Coordinates of all heavy atoms in Angstrom, one line a residue:
M28 N 92.7 102.9 116.1 CA 93.1 102.6 114.7 C 92.7 101.2 114.4 O 93.1 100.3 115.1 CB 94.6 102.8 114.5 CG 95.1 102.6 113.2 SD 96.8 103.2 113.1 CE 97.5 102.1 112.0
K29 N 92.0 101.0 113.3 CA 91.6 99.6 112.9 C 92.6 99.0 111.9 O 93.0 99.8 111.0 CB 90.2 99.6 112.3 CG 89.1 99.8 113.3 CD 87.7 99.7 112.6 CE 86.6 99.9 113.6 NZ 85.3 100.0 113.0
W30 N 92.9 97.8 112.1 CA 93.7 97.1 111.1 C 92.9 96.4 110.1 O 91.9 95.8 110.4 CB 94.6 96.1 111.9 CG 95.6 96.7 112.7 CD1 95.5 96.9 114.1 CD2 96.9 97.3 112.4 NE1 96.6 97.6 114.6 CE2 97.5 97.8 113.5 CE3 97.5 97.4 111.2 CZ2 98.7 98.4 113.5 CZ3 98.8 98.0 111.2 CH2 99.3 98.5 112.3
N31 N 93.3 96.6 108.9 CA 92.6 95.8 107.8 C 93.3 94.5 107.7 O 94.5 94.4 107.3 CB 92.7 96.6 106.5 CG 91.9 95.9 105.4 OD1 91.5 94.8 105.6 ND2 91.8 96.6 104.3
L32 N 92.6 93.4 108.1 CA 93.2 92.1 108.2 C 93.2 91.4 106.8 O 93.8 90.4 106.7 CB 92.5 91.3 109.2 CG 92.6 91.8 110.6 CD1 91.7 91.0 111.6 CD2 94.0 91.9 111.1
V33 N 92.5 92.0 105.9 CA 92.4 91.3 104.5 C 93.7 91.6 103.8 O 94.1 92.8 103.6 CB 91.2 91.8 103.7 CG1 91.2 91.2 102.4 CG2 89.9 91.5 104.5
R34 N 94.4 90.6 103.4 CA 95.6 90.8 102.7 C 95.3 90.9 101.2 O 94.9 90.0 100.6 CB 96.6 89.6 102.9 CG 97.0 89.5 104.4 CD 98.1 88.5 104.5 NE 99.4 89.2 104.3 CZ 100.6 88.6 104.2 NH1 100.6 87.3 104.3 NH2 101.7 89.3 104.0
R35 N 95.5 92.1 100.7 CA 95.3 92.3 99.2 C 96.6 92.5 98.5 O 97.6 92.9 99.1 CB 94.4 93.6 99.1 CG 93.0 93.4 99.5 CD 92.2 94.6 99.1 NE 91.2 94.9 100.1 CZ 90.9 96.0 100.6 NH1 91.7 97.1 100.3 NH2 90.0 96.2 101.5
A36 N 96.5 92.2 97.2 CA 97.7 92.4 96.4 C 97.9 94.0 96.3 O 96.9 94.7 96.2 CB 97.4 91.9 95.0
R37 N 99.1 94.4 96.5 CA 99.4 95.8 96.4 C 100.4 96.1 95.3 O 101.1 95.2 94.8 CB 100.1 96.2 97.7 CG 99.2 96.2 98.9 CD 99.9 96.9 100.1 NE 101.1 96.3 100.5 CZ 101.2 95.7 101.7 NH1 100.2 95.6 102.6 NH2 102.4 95.1 102.1
D38 N 100.4 97.3 94.9 CA 101.3 97.7 93.7 C 102.7 97.4 94.1 O 103.5 97.2 93.2 CB 101.2 99.2 93.5 CG 99.7 99.6 93.1 OD1 99.0 98.7 92.8 OD2 99.5 100.8 93.2
T39 N 103.0 97.5 95.4 CA 104.4 97.3 95.8 C 104.8 95.9 96.1 O 105.9 95.6 96.5 CB 104.7 98.2 97.0 OG1 103.7 97.9 98.0 CG2 104.6 99.7 96.7
D40 N 103.8 95.0 95.9 CA 104.2 93.6 96.0 C 105.3 93.2 95.0 O 105.2 93.6 93.9 CB 103.0 92.6 95.8 CG 102.0 92.6 96.9 OD1 102.3 93.2 98.0 OD2 101.0 92.0 96.8
L41 N 106.3 92.5 95.5 CA 107.4 92.1 94.6 C 107.6 90.6 94.7 O 107.7 90.1 95.8 CB 108.7 92.8 95.0 CG 108.7 94.3 95.0 CD1 110.0 94.8 95.6 CD2 108.6 94.8 93.5
V42 N 107.6 90.0 93.5 CA 107.9 88.5 93.5 C 109.4 88.4 93.4 O 110.0 88.9 92.5 CB 107.2 87.9 92.3 CG1 107.6 86.4 92.3 CG2 105.7 88.0 92.4
T43 N 110.0 87.7 94.4 CA 111.5 87.5 94.4 C 111.8 86.0 94.1 O 111.1 85.1 94.6 CB 112.1 87.9 95.7 OG1 111.5 87.2 96.7 CG2 111.8 89.4 96.0
C44 N 112.9 85.8 93.5 CA 113.3 84.4 93.3 C 113.9 83.9 94.6 O 114.8 84.6 95.2 CB 114.3 84.3 92.2 SG 115.0 82.6 92.0
S45 N 113.4 82.8 95.1 CA 113.9 82.3 96.4 C 115.4 81.8 96.3 O 116.0 81.6 97.4 CB 113.0 81.2 96.9 OG 111.7 81.6 97.0
L46 N 115.9 81.6 95.1 CA 117.2 81.1 95.0 C 118.3 82.1 94.7 O 119.3 82.2 95.4 CB 117.2 80.0 93.9 CG 116.3 78.8 94.2 CD1 116.1 78.0 93.0 CD2 116.9 78.0 95.3
C47 N 118.0 83.0 93.7 CA 119.0 84.0 93.4 C 118.6 85.4 93.9 O 119.4 86.3 93.7 CB 119.3 84.0 91.9 SG 117.9 84.6 90.9
L48 N 117.5 85.5 94.4 CA 117.0 86.8 95.0 C 116.7 87.9 94.0 O 116.6 89.1 94.4 CB 117.9 87.3 96.2 CG 118.2 86.3 97.3 CD1 119.2 86.9 98.3 CD2 116.9 85.8 97.9
R49 N 116.7 87.6 92.7 CA 116.3 88.6 91.8 C 114.8 88.9 91.9 O 114.1 88.0 92.4 CB 116.7 88.2 90.4 CG 118.2 88.2 90.1 CD 118.6 88.0 88.7 NE 118.1 86.7 88.3 CZ 118.0 86.3 87.0 NH1 118.4 87.1 86.0 NH2 117.5 85.1 86.7
V50 N 114.4 90.0 91.4 CA 113.0 90.4 91.5 C 112.3 90.5 90.1 O 112.9 91.0 89.2 CB 112.9 91.8 92.2 CG1 111.5 92.3 92.3 CG2 113.6 91.7 93.6
R51 N 111.1 90.0 90.0 CA 110.4 90.0 88.7 C 109.8 91.4 88.5 O 109.1 92.0 89.3 CB 109.3 89.0 88.7 CG 108.7 88.8 87.3 CD 107.8 87.7 87.2 NE 106.5 87.9 88.0 CZ 105.7 86.9 88.4 NH1 105.9 85.7 88.1 NH2 104.6 87.2 89.0
R52 N 110.2 92.0 87.3 CA 109.6 93.2 86.9 C 109.1 93.0 85.5 O 109.9 92.9 84.5 CB 110.7 94.3 86.9 CG 111.4 94.6 88.2 CD 110.4 95.1 89.2 NE 110.0 96.5 89.0 CZ 108.9 97.1 89.4 NH1 108.1 96.4 90.2 NH2 108.6 98.3 89.1
G53 N 107.8 93.0 85.3 CA 107.2 92.6 84.0 C 107.6 91.2 83.7 O 107.3 90.3 84.5
S54 N 108.2 91.0 82.6 CA 108.6 89.6 82.2 C 110.1 89.4 82.5 O 110.6 88.3 82.3 CB 108.4 89.4 80.8 OG 109.1 90.3 80.0
A55 N 110.8 90.3 83.1 CA 112.2 90.2 83.4 C 112.5 90.0 84.9 O 111.7 90.4 85.7 CB 113.0 91.4 82.9
W56 N 113.6 89.4 85.1 CA 114.1 89.2 86.5 C 115.3 90.1 86.7 O 116.3 89.9 86.0 CB 114.4 87.8 86.8 CG 113.2 86.9 86.8 CD1 112.6 86.3 85.7 CD2 112.4 86.5 88.0 NE1 111.5 85.6 86.2 CE2 111.3 85.7 87.5 CE3 112.5 86.8 89.3 CZ2 110.4 85.2 88.4 CZ3 111.5 86.3 90.2 CH2 110.5 85.5 89.7
I57 N 115.3 91.0 87.6 CA 116.4 91.9 87.7 C 116.9 92.0 89.2 O 116.2 91.6 90.1 CB 116.1 93.4 87.2 CG1 115.0 94.0 88.0 CG2 115.8 93.3 85.7 CD1 114.7 95.4 87.5
E58 N 118.1 92.5 89.3 CA 118.8 92.5 90.6 C 118.0 93.3 91.6 O 117.5 94.4 91.2 CB 120.2 93.0 90.5 CG 121.1 92.3 89.6 CD 121.3 90.8 90.0 OE1 121.4 90.6 91.2 OE2 121.4 89.9 89.1
A59 N 117.9 92.8 92.8 CA 117.2 93.5 93.9 C 117.6 95.0 94.0 O 116.8 95.9 94.2 CB 117.3 92.8 95.2
E60 N 119.0 95.2 94.0 CA 119.5 96.5 94.1 C 118.9 97.5 93.1 O 118.6 98.7 93.4 CB 121.1 96.5 94.0 CG 121.7 95.8 95.2 CD 121.9 94.3 95.0 OE1 121.2 93.8 94.1 OE2 122.6 93.7 95.7
A61 N 118.8 97.0 91.9 CA 118.3 97.9 90.8 C 116.8 98.2 91.1 O 116.3 99.3 90.8 CB 118.4 97.2 89.5
V62 N 116.0 97.3 91.6 CA 114.6 97.5 91.9 C 114.5 98.5 93.0 O 113.6 99.4 93.0 CB 113.9 96.2 92.3 CG1 112.5 96.4 92.6 CG2 114.0 95.2 91.1
I63 N 115.3 98.3 94.0 CA 115.3 99.3 95.2 C 115.6 100.7 94.7 O 114.9 101.6 95.1 CB 116.3 98.8 96.3 CG1 115.8 97.5 96.9 CG2 116.4 99.9 97.3 CD1 116.9 96.8 97.7
T64 N 116.6 100.8 93.8 CA 116.9 102.1 93.3 C 115.8 102.7 92.4 O 115.4 103.9 92.5 CB 118.2 102.0 92.4 OG1 119.2 101.4 93.2 CG2 118.6 103.3 91.9
E65 N 115.1 101.8 91.7 CA 114.1 102.3 90.8 C 112.8 102.7 91.5 O 112.2 103.7 91.3 CB 113.7 101.1 89.8 CG 112.6 101.4 88.9 CD 112.0 100.1 88.2 OE1 112.7 99.1 88.1 OE2 110.8 100.1 87.9
L66 N 112.4 101.9 92.5 CA 111.2 102.2 93.3 C 111.3 103.1 94.4 O 110.3 103.6 95.0 CB 110.6 100.8 93.8 CG 110.2 99.8 92.8 CD1 109.7 98.5 93.5 CD2 109.1 100.3 91.8
H67 N 112.6 103.4 94.8 CA 112.8 104.1 96.1 C 112.0 103.5 97.2 O 111.3 104.2 97.9 CB 112.4 105.6 95.9 CG 113.3 106.3 94.9 ND1 114.3 107.1 95.3 CD2 113.2 106.4 93.6 CE1 114.9 107.6 94.2 NE2 114.3 107.2 93.2
S68 N 112.1 102.2 97.3 CA 111.2 101.4 98.2 C 111.5 101.8 99.7 O 110.6 101.7 100.5 CB 111.4 99.9 98.0 OG 112.8 99.6 98.2
Y69 N 112.6 102.4 99.9 CA 113.0 102.8 101.3 C 112.2 104.1 101.7 O 112.2 104.5 102.8 CB 114.5 103.0 101.4 CG 115.1 103.8 100.2 CD1 115.0 105.1 100.2 CD2 115.6 103.0 99.2 CE1 115.6 105.8 99.1 CE2 116.1 103.7 98.1 CZ 116.1 105.1 98.0 OH 116.6 105.7 96.9
E70 N 111.6 104.7 100.7 CA 110.8 106.0 101.0 C 109.3 105.7 101.1 O 108.5 106.6 101.4 CB 111.0 107.0 99.9 CG 112.4 107.6 99.8 CD 112.6 108.5 98.7 OE1 111.7 108.7 97.8 OE2 113.7 109.1 98.6
L71 N 108.9 104.5 100.9 CA 107.5 104.1 101.0 C 107.0 104.1 102.4 O 107.8 103.8 103.3 CB 107.2 102.8 100.3 CG 107.5 102.6 98.8 CD1 107.4 101.2 98.4 CD2 106.6 103.5 98.0
D72 N 105.7 104.4 102.6 CA 105.2 104.4 104.0 C 105.2 102.9 104.5 O 105.4 102.7 105.7 CB 103.8 104.9 104.0 CG 103.7 106.4 103.7 OD1 104.8 107.1 104.0 OD2 102.7 106.9 103.2
V73 N 104.8 102.1 103.6 CA 104.7 100.6 103.9 C 105.8 99.9 103.1 O 105.8 100.1 101.8 CB 103.3 100.1 103.6 CG1 103.3 98.6 104.0 CG2 102.3 100.8 104.4
P74 N 106.6 99.2 103.6 CA 107.7 98.5 102.8 C 107.0 97.5 101.9 O 105.9 97.0 102.1 CB 108.5 97.8 103.8 CG 107.8 97.7 105.1 CD 106.8 98.8 105.0
P75 N 107.7 97.2 100.7 CA 107.1 96.3 99.8 C 107.0 94.9 100.4 O 107.8 94.5 101.2 CB 108.1 96.2 98.6 CG 109.0 97.4 98.8 CD 108.9 97.8 100.3
R76 N 105.9 94.2 100.0 CA 105.8 92.8 100.5 C 106.5 91.9 99.5 O 106.3 92.1 98.3 CB 104.3 92.5 100.6 CG 104.0 91.2 101.3 CD 102.6 91.0 101.6 NE 101.7 91.1 100.4 CZ 100.4 91.0 100.4 NH1 99.8 90.9 101.5 NH2 99.7 91.0 99.3
L77 N 107.3 91.0 100.0 CA 108.0 90.1 99.1 C 107.3 88.8 99.0 O 107.0 88.2 100.0 CB 109.5 90.0 99.6 CG 110.3 91.2 99.8 CD1 111.6 90.9 100.4 CD2 110.4 92.0 98.5
L78 N 107.0 88.4 97.8 CA 106.4 87.1 97.6 C 107.4 86.1 97.0 O 108.1 86.5 96.1 CB 105.2 87.3 96.6 CG 104.2 88.4 97.0 CD1 103.1 88.6 95.9 CD2 103.5 88.0 98.3
P79 N 107.4 84.9 97.5 CA 108.4 84.0 97.0 C 108.1 83.4 95.6 O 106.9 83.3 95.3 CB 108.3 82.8 98.0 CG 106.9 82.9 98.6 CD 106.5 84.3 98.5
G80 N 109.1 83.2 94.8 CA 108.9 82.6 93.5 C 110.2 82.0 93.1 O 111.2 81.9 93.8
V81 N 110.3 81.5 91.8 CA 111.5 81.0 91.3 C 111.6 81.5 89.9 O 110.7 81.5 89.1 CB 111.4 79.4 91.2 CG1 112.7 78.9 90.5 CG2 111.3 78.8 92.6
C82 N 112.8 82.1 89.6 CA 112.9 82.8 88.3 C 113.2 81.7 87.2 O 113.4 80.5 87.5 CB 114.1 83.8 88.3 SG 115.7 83.0 88.3
D83 N 113.1 82.1 85.9 CA 113.2 81.1 84.8 C 114.6 80.5 84.8 O 114.7 79.3 84.6 CB 113.0 81.9 83.5 CG 111.6 82.6 83.4 OD1 110.7 82.0 84.0 OD2 111.5 83.6 82.8
D84 N 115.6 81.2 85.1 CA 117.0 80.6 85.1 C 117.1 79.6 86.1 O 117.7 78.5 85.9 CB 118.0 81.7 85.3 CG 118.1 82.7 84.1 OD1 117.5 82.4 83.1 OD2 118.8 83.7 84.2
C85 N 116.6 79.9 87.3 CA 116.8 78.9 88.4 C 115.9 77.7 88.2 O 116.2 76.6 88.5 CB 116.5 79.6 89.8 SG 117.7 80.8 90.3
A86 N 114.7 77.9 87.6 CA 113.8 76.8 87.3 C 114.4 75.9 86.3 O 114.4 74.7 86.5 CB 112.4 77.3 86.8
D87 N 115.1 76.5 85.3 CA 115.8 75.7 84.3 C 116.9 74.9 84.9 O 117.1 73.7 84.6 CB 116.3 76.6 83.2 CG 115.2 77.1 82.2 OD1 114.1 76.6 82.3 OD2 115.5 78.0 81.5
A88 N 117.6 75.5 85.8 CA 118.8 74.9 86.5 C 118.3 73.7 87.3 O 118.9 72.6 87.3 CB 119.5 75.8 87.3
I89 N 117.2 73.8 88.0 CA 116.6 72.8 88.8 C 116.2 71.6 87.9 O 116.5 70.4 88.1 CB 115.4 73.3 89.6 CG1 115.9 74.2 90.7 CG2 114.6 72.1 90.2 CD1 114.7 75.0 91.3
L90 N 115.5 71.9 86.8 CA 115.0 70.9 85.9 C 116.2 70.1 85.2 O 116.1 68.9 85.1 CB 114.1 71.5 84.8 CG 112.8 72.1 85.3 CD1 112.0 72.8 84.2 CD2 111.9 70.9 85.9
L91 N 117.2 70.9 84.9 CA 118.4 70.3 84.3 C 119.1 69.3 85.3 O 119.4 68.2 84.9 CB 119.4 71.4 83.9 CG 120.5 71.0 82.9 CD1 119.9 70.6 81.6 CD2 121.5 72.1 82.7
R92 N 119.2 69.8 86.5 CA 119.8 68.9 87.6 C 118.9 67.6 87.8 O 119.5 66.5 87.9 CB 119.9 69.7 88.9 CG 121.3 70.1 89.2 CD 121.5 70.5 90.7 NE 120.4 71.2 91.3 CZ 120.3 72.5 91.4 NH1 121.2 73.3 90.9 NH2 119.3 73.0 92.0
R93 N 117.6 67.8 87.8 CA 116.7 66.6 88.0 C 116.9 65.7 86.8 O 116.9 64.5 87.0 CB 115.3 67.1 88.1 CG 115.0 67.6 89.4 CD 113.5 67.7 89.7 NE 113.2 68.4 90.9 CZ 112.1 69.0 91.2 NH1 111.1 69.0 90.3 NH2 111.9 69.6 92.4
A94 N 117.0 66.2 85.6 CA 117.1 65.4 84.4 C 118.4 64.6 84.5 O 118.4 63.4 84.2 CB 117.1 66.2 83.1
R95 N 119.5 65.2 84.9 CA 120.8 64.5 85.1 C 120.7 63.4 86.1 O 121.3 62.4 85.9 CB 121.9 65.5 85.4 CG 122.3 66.4 84.3 CD 123.7 67.0 84.6 NE 124.0 68.0 83.6 CZ 124.3 69.3 83.8 NH1 124.4 69.7 85.1 NH2 124.5 70.2 82.9
T96 N 120.0 63.7 87.2 CA 119.9 62.8 88.3 C 119.1 61.6 87.8 O 119.5 60.4 88.0 CB 119.2 63.4 89.5 OG1 119.9 64.6 89.9 CG2 119.1 62.4 90.7
A97 N 118.0 61.8 87.0 CA 117.2 60.8 86.5 C 118.0 59.9 85.5 O 117.9 58.7 85.6 CB 116.0 61.3 85.8
E98 N 118.9 60.5 84.7 CA 119.8 59.8 83.8 C 120.7 58.9 84.6 O 120.9 57.7 84.3 CB 120.6 60.7 83.0 CG 119.9 61.3 81.8 CD 120.7 62.4 81.1 OE1 121.9 62.4 81.2 OE2 120.0 63.2 80.4
A99 N 121.3 59.4 85.7 CA 122.3 58.7 86.5 C 121.6 57.5 87.1 O 122.2 56.4 87.2 CB 122.9 59.6 87.5
I100 N 120.4 57.6 87.6 CA 119.7 56.5 88.2 C 119.3 55.5 87.1 O 119.4 54.3 87.4 CB 118.4 57.1 88.9 CG1 118.8 57.9 90.1 CG2 117.5 55.9 89.3 CD1 117.6 58.7 90.7
A101 N 118.9 56.0 86.0 CA 118.5 55.0 84.9 C 119.7 54.2 84.4 O 119.6 53.1 83.9 CB 117.9 55.8 83.8
A102 N 120.9 54.8 84.4 CA 122.1 54.2 83.9 C 122.6 53.0 84.7 O 122.3 52.9 85.8 CB 123.2 55.2 83.7
Ligands
ZN16 ZN1 116.6 82.8 90.4

């Protein structure tokens, strides 16, 4: 059996938020449990590959924290 060493994007690739662990579906970020239920990922021959990301809410929270820190330093 030959292994294909080229890593290609697959339909089952899932981008997950590294902070809150929600998964991107289209333009929305939804709970991992809901995605597992929707995709029946446990029935796939190959498990979904998880790609790291940061969701909009967590990105906003980080930017807000940084802005506050910058204000505190400037004050
Ligand atoms: Zn998040």
Side-chain angles (χ1 to χ4, degrees):
M28 182 166 145
K29 285 185 183 173
W30 291 97
N31 185 351
L32 297 176
V33 178
R34 298 190 84 188
R35 286 191 213 129
R37 291 192 298 246
D38 300 346
T39 53
D40 283 356
L41 298 173
V42 176
T43 60
C44 177
S45 301
L46 298 166
C47 68
L48 305 180
R49 289 185 302 165
V50 178
R51 189 168 72 197
R52 301 295 289 159
S54 60
W56 291 87
I57 62 177
E58 300 300 325
E60 291 86 346
V62 176
I63 292 167
T64 304
E65 178 196 331
L66 297 180
H67 294 261
S68 54
Y69 43 84
E70 291 178 354
L71 298 172
D72 292 335
V73 179
R76 190 167 60 181
L77 301 178
L78 307 174
V81 177
C82 76
D83 302 328
D84 291 351
C85 291
D87 287 349
I89 291 167
L90 292 174
L91 196 65
R92 255 198 320 267
R93 282 197 187 155
R95 283 198 192 126
T96 306
E98 278 171 26
I100 291 169

